[in-house]
Amino acid sequence: MKSPVRFAFAALVAMLAAGAASAQSSSNAGPSMYAGASLGLSNKYDISCQTGVKCDKTAKTGGKVFGGYMFDETFGVEAMGFGIKSGIGSLKNQANVLVPGSVNLRGLGVSGVAAYNAGPFALKGRLGVAYTQTKSYAGATTKKSSMQPLIGAGVSYALTEQIALNADWDRISAKYGSNKVKTHADMFSVGLSYKF
C-alpha cells in the first residue's frame, strides 16, 4: 500500500473513531442530503515513462458530480460519477511489453463517508467501490470495465447554511488492456455542493 493510500486509510479510521465519539453529543443533528460538482485541478495517472517516449501522466481535464445522504453529522453514503481524460506514457500491450500509449477512464462509484465537523469546516473520508471503464491504446485500442476499490478524503468550508466549498482527493483504480493491467489515477478537485 503506497503512502498516500496509507495516510488516507489512517485518516479515515481516525475520523471514524472521532465521529463515533462526537455522535453521542450531536443527537440533535438529523439526516441531510447534498449534491455537488468538482473540477479536477490535478489528474495524474500511475503509468510508466520510458526514456525517449512521449510522457505526460497528468490529464488535462477531469472532474466529478456527486450526491450524498448523511444519517447524522458523522456517517453517510455518497455516490459519484467521474471522468478523467488521457494520460500518455508507456503501457503494456497484448504481449505484456511496454509500448507508447495512452489511457483514460470514467465510471461510477459509491462510498461510505465518515465526517468530522469543526465549526464551518468539515473533514471527510470515503471508502467504497467503483465501476470503472478504461479506453487505452497500446498498439491497438481496447476498452475494459472492472470493479475496483475507491478511496478519498476531503475538506469543506460552509459558505452559507446550504452552500459549501469543497477540496477533494480521490484515488480511482482501474484495469486496462486485454491483460487486465492495473493502474490508478489521483484526482485533486475543487467544487461546490448544496445541502438540501
Side-chain angles (χ1 to χ4, degrees):
M1 209 186 283
K2 294 185 178 179
S3 58
V5 177
R6 252 185 278 151
F7 173 77
F9 184 73
L12 181 62
V13 171
M15 283 188 279
L16 284 169
S22 67
Q24 299 171 358
S25 62
S26 60
S27 56
N28 61 340
S32 62
M33 295 174 60
Y34 61 91
S38 294
L39 178 64
L41 300 182
S42 175
N43 316 284
K44 194 163 187 177
Y45 283 94
D46 177 34
I47 54 178
S48 298
C49 283
Q50 290 182 304
T51 304
V53 173
K54 184 179 178 182
C55 186
D56 188 356
K57 297 181 181 184
T58 303
K60 289 180 174 55
T61 57
K64 65 177 182 175
V65 293
F66 57 90
Y69 182 87
M70 297 299 292
F71 302 107
D72 53 30
E73 289 185 342
T74 310
F75 299 106
V77 292
E78 183 176 296
M80 76 170 183
F82 55 86
I84 301 175
K85 286 293 186 181
S86 295
I88 301 168
S90 301
L91 277 66
K92 290 186 178 179
N93 63 11
Q94 291 183 349
N96 215 28
V97 176
L98 286 172
V99 297
S102 64
V103 62
N104 65 53
L105 68 88
R106 63 183 181 176
L108 301 169
V110 63
S111 303
V113 178
Y116 176 76
N117 296 276
F121 290 95
L123 298 174
K124 287 184 179 179
R126 297 181 299 276
L127 189 61
V129 64
Y131 173 75
T132 61
Q133 293 181 315
T134 58
K135 183 179 179 182
S136 61
Y137 177 81
T141 300
T142 58
K143 294 181 180 179
K144 179 68 186 172
S145 300
S146 62
M147 297 294 290
Q148 297 294 323
L150 178 65
I151 189 167
V155 60
S156 65
Y157 179 79
L159 301 172
T160 69
E161 285 189 15
Q162 280 79 38
I163 300 172
L165 177 65
N166 306 288
D168 290 326
W169 164 74
D170 293 287
R171 172 162 284 187
I172 302 162
S173 298
K175 290 182 179 180
Y176 72 86
S178 56
N179 294 335
K180 303 178 184 177
V181 183
K182 279 196 171 184
T183 187
H184 67 259
D186 289 307
M187 179 169 66
F188 294 90
S189 62
V190 172
L192 295 172
S193 60
Y194 185 87
K195 182 178 178 181
F196 298 95

